[in-house]
Amino acid sequence: MPRQLLIATRKGLFVLTERRGAWSLSEPEFRGVPVSMGCFDPRDGSLYAALDHGHFGVKLHRRNGTRWRELPAPVYPQLPKGKVEREGGGRPWPRSLRLVWSLELDPRTPGGLWCGTIPGGLFHSADAGASWTFNAPLWRDPNRSKWSGGGYDTPGIHSILVDPRDPQHVTLGISCGGVHVTRDGGKNWRNEALGLRAAYMPKAQAFDVDVQDPHRLAACRGAPDRVWCQHHNGIFVRDGDKPWREVKAKAVSRFGFACAAHPHDRDVAWFVPAEKDECRVPVDGALVVLRTGDGGRTFTELRSGLPQQHAYDLVWRHGLDVASDGATLAMGSTSGRLWLGREGGEQWQELAANLPPIAAVRWVS
Amino acid sequence: MVRVTFPSVLQRHVACPPVDVDGGTLRQVLEAAFAHQPTVRGYVLDDAGALRTHLTVFVDGVVVHDRARLAQRVPAEARVDVLQALSGG
């Protein structure tokens, strides 16, 4: 099977395919429509796409073979009429699907899927998206009222890590709401954000687990106890059920959104730094990828082949992915540029320069 | 006195050092703070006088939910922190 990359963009879902060493880009599926996430299921060959129609709401589609079919979208349970719920910042928290922000396979059953959304709800499908069940235990977290919007008006689940050794063990990254972990398939959850630090809160609440903004989580598949976190104000790493440790290795910046973990080597991870918070552009106009090869003690700056002047590309949460070989990376930016990184990111090649803003890149095989 | 602070990211655009003002309702406290630097008002409140959507106010570390009227009492010696909410991206 040729190697393929899904590219979810503001104007459709593109597929990049490698044949005999040459890469070719498809015409977009759902041309003109914002696609927030794509997901391929090798168990039955299905391809999923999450659409954000704006005017017409969020929709899910599945392709098995050549034809796309629309699936029912997850639906939130409603509050009693007239009751208003508010997120941690005091803004209204309507229970209406705003975005599918993450979509992952659940290996416990064929067609099993986890779906993380804005405004903060987790959904599960046991039938390839034909129906969705709202995960009520997570929603009933008594501290959910402290969650707040991170990048959007309301909270959202952007990272779903399923432990390949035990699919009952699932870890969620919530902006802003911490890191929620279940070890019984979603019946019970615990916020395991201890050690993360929120510089954007009053000092007394800086270590409150419920206000943390992990921008993205990534786990090493071969050693899933090792989890990396690109947080709003730093990079953190965690082993098993221990508290998170802040990575303070010297770097051009430790602000960013994306991170990727090596599939086999627990000490290797990649990040895409940007000038912090109020600017969100590459430092000095030069795009850099950071790689640690020693568990976060040091970073190597990877620049070869990346624009080193006049670059204003931001790489979003899902804009960086590493292939199963642990050596080939893909990266897409808000400026619609797509790069392929070889040798673990030592050498980058621009594959496209004029795509729509890229929300997610994802290796299929 | 009530100590009022503004987000560090706002300092890029307009001078807004911490100020000490008298207690009262939250609106009175904020207006007293804006009297020191009138330009700040338009960065914190919208045209209708409500807190801008992507700002959050804490009074002694507790989030303000009444974002439109700003009517809650702020005790003397309290601390009012105006912070940038991450909802704004």
Side-chain angles (χ1 to χ4, degrees):
Chain A
M1 188 175 172
R3 194 148 58 157
Q4 288 193 311
L5 181 77
L6 303 179
I7 307 153
T9 81
R10 182 80 177 75
K11 295 290 179 185
L13 178 71
F14 297 78
V15 181
L16 185 76
T17 303
E18 183 188 38
R19 283 195 185 84
R20 292 185 288 276
W23 294 92
S24 63
L25 191 66
S26 72
E27 291 297 311
E29 307 286 344
F30 309 102
R31 186 170 175 271
V33 180
V35 178
S36 59
M37 183 52 64
C39 181
F40 177 71
D41 187 347
R43 298 171 297 185
D44 63 1
S46 290
L47 181 59
Y48 295 88
L51 277 53
D52 173 18
H53 275 290
H55 299 84
F56 309 116
V58 170
K59 310 294 172 200
L60 277 168
H61 291 253
R62 177 162 62 98
R63 188 180 73 184
N64 195 336
T66 55
R67 194 162 153 242
W68 288 96
R69 287 175 200 275
E70 186 174 335
L71 303 168
V75 176
Y76 276 72
Q78 293 303 296
L79 280 166
K81 212 172 176 67
K83 194 160 179 222
V84 176
E85 197 169 35
R86 292 181 186 278
E87 48 86 92
R91 287 163 288 272
W93 191 347
R95 293 187 178 187
S96 183
L97 183 62
R98 171 68 190 80
L99 197 73
V100 169
W101 220 7
S102 45
L103 204 52
E104 299 291 341
L105 307 181
D106 176 3
R108 292 177 300 176
T109 174
L113 294 168
W114 290 107
C115 178
T117 70
I118 296 174
L122 178 70
F123 293 84
H124 184 266
S125 175
D127 51 16
S131 64
W132 293 97
T133 305
F134 181 68
N135 187 277
L138 178 71
W139 199 249
R140 283 198 296 261
D141 181 335
N143 291 323
R144 183 172 60 82
S145 60
K146 287 156 69 179
W147 299 5
S148 64
Y152 291 84
D153 287 357
T154 46
I157 301 171
H158 48 68
S159 298
I160 303 172
L161 309 180
V162 181
D163 190 330
R165 302 164 304 187
D166 173 16
Q168 299 281 94
H169 179 198
V170 179
T171 301
L172 308 178
I174 302 181
S175 287
C176 310
V179 178
H180 292 254
V181 179
T182 179
R183 290 178 174 79
D184 58 12
K187 294 187 193 71
N188 292 280
W189 296 89
R190 195 167 71 150
N191 194 341
E192 300 191 3
L194 191 66
L196 297 182
R197 176 180 62 86
Y200 44 84
M201 293 297 285
K203 280 197 174 64
Q205 291 164 51
F207 290 95
D208 185 334
V209 295
D210 298 302
V211 304
Q212 299 301 325
D213 183 9
H215 280 176
R216 183 77 170 126
L217 303 178
C220 175
R221 277 194 69 78
D225 284 339
R226 169 61 60 88
V227 182
W228 295 91
C229 172
Q230 173 65 67
H231 181 279
H232 186 84
N233 49 255
I235 293 169
F236 294 80
V237 62
R238 185 183 194 219
D239 289 297
D241 55 5
K242 292 184 185 147
W244 293 89
R245 284 180 290 122
E246 185 157 7
V247 172
K248 293 182 174 167
K250 189 169 175 291
V252 61
S253 163
R254 291 191 293 267
F255 175 87
F257 288 92
C259 68
H262 193 283
H264 320 300
D265 187 338
R266 67 203 298 271
D267 286 335
V268 178
W270 294 264
F271 305 85
V272 191
E275 189 178 331
K276 75 175 173 64
D277 204 7
E278 55 266 40
C279 279
R280 304 178 181 205
V281 296
V283 178
D284 297 329
L287 188 57
V288 178
V289 174
L290 297 176
R291 182 185 63 209
T292 180
D294 54 14
R297 279 189 290 281
T298 60
F299 285 119
T300 303
E301 289 182 359
L302 307 169
R303 296 176 182 268
S304 182
L306 295 174
Q308 293 304 294
Q309 59 178 350
H310 305 308
Y312 292 91
D313 301 79
L314 187 65
V315 174
W316 273 114
R317 284 171 169 81
H318 307 102
L320 177 72
D321 195 20
V322 58
S324 56
D325 63 4
T328 313
L329 292 126
M331 181 167 72
S333 79
T334 52
S335 303
R337 290 202 268 194
L338 176 72
W339 294 273
L340 186 75
R342 293 193 172 85
E343 302 163 43
E346 290 290 336
Q347 188 61 46
W348 294 85
Q349 177 190 358
E350 186 182 273
L351 292 183
N354 299 297
L355 290 176
I358 294 171
V361 296
R362 200 159 189 185
W363 290 106
V364 167
S365 50
Chain B
M1 299 293 275
V2 177
R3 166 57 62 104
V4 182
T5 73
F6 296 99
S8 57
V9 294
L10 182 54
Q11 311 277 351
R12 293 182 73 211
H13 309 297
V14 57
C16 48
V19 290
D20 295 319
V21 299
D22 290 331
T25 65
L26 180 56
R27 183 171 295 283
Q28 287 167 335
V29 165
L30 289 174
E31 293 292 358
F34 299 147
H36 288 261
Q37 179 52 272
T39 317
V40 176
R41 189 178 195 279
Y43 284 80
V44 173
L45 303 182
D46 65 17
D47 300 17
L51 187 64
R52 288 200 176 277
T53 302
H54 299 302
L55 292 179
T56 303
V57 174
F58 292 83
V59 176
D60 283 337
V62 179
V63 169
V64 170
H65 279 201
D66 173 15
R67 303 169 55 89
R69 293 190 310 141
L70 304 171
Q72 78 179 66
R73 299 297 301 180
V74 177
E77 310 306 321
R79 184 184 171 92
V80 173
D81 293 306
V82 180
L83 291 174
Q84 178 194 27
L86 300 193
S87 55

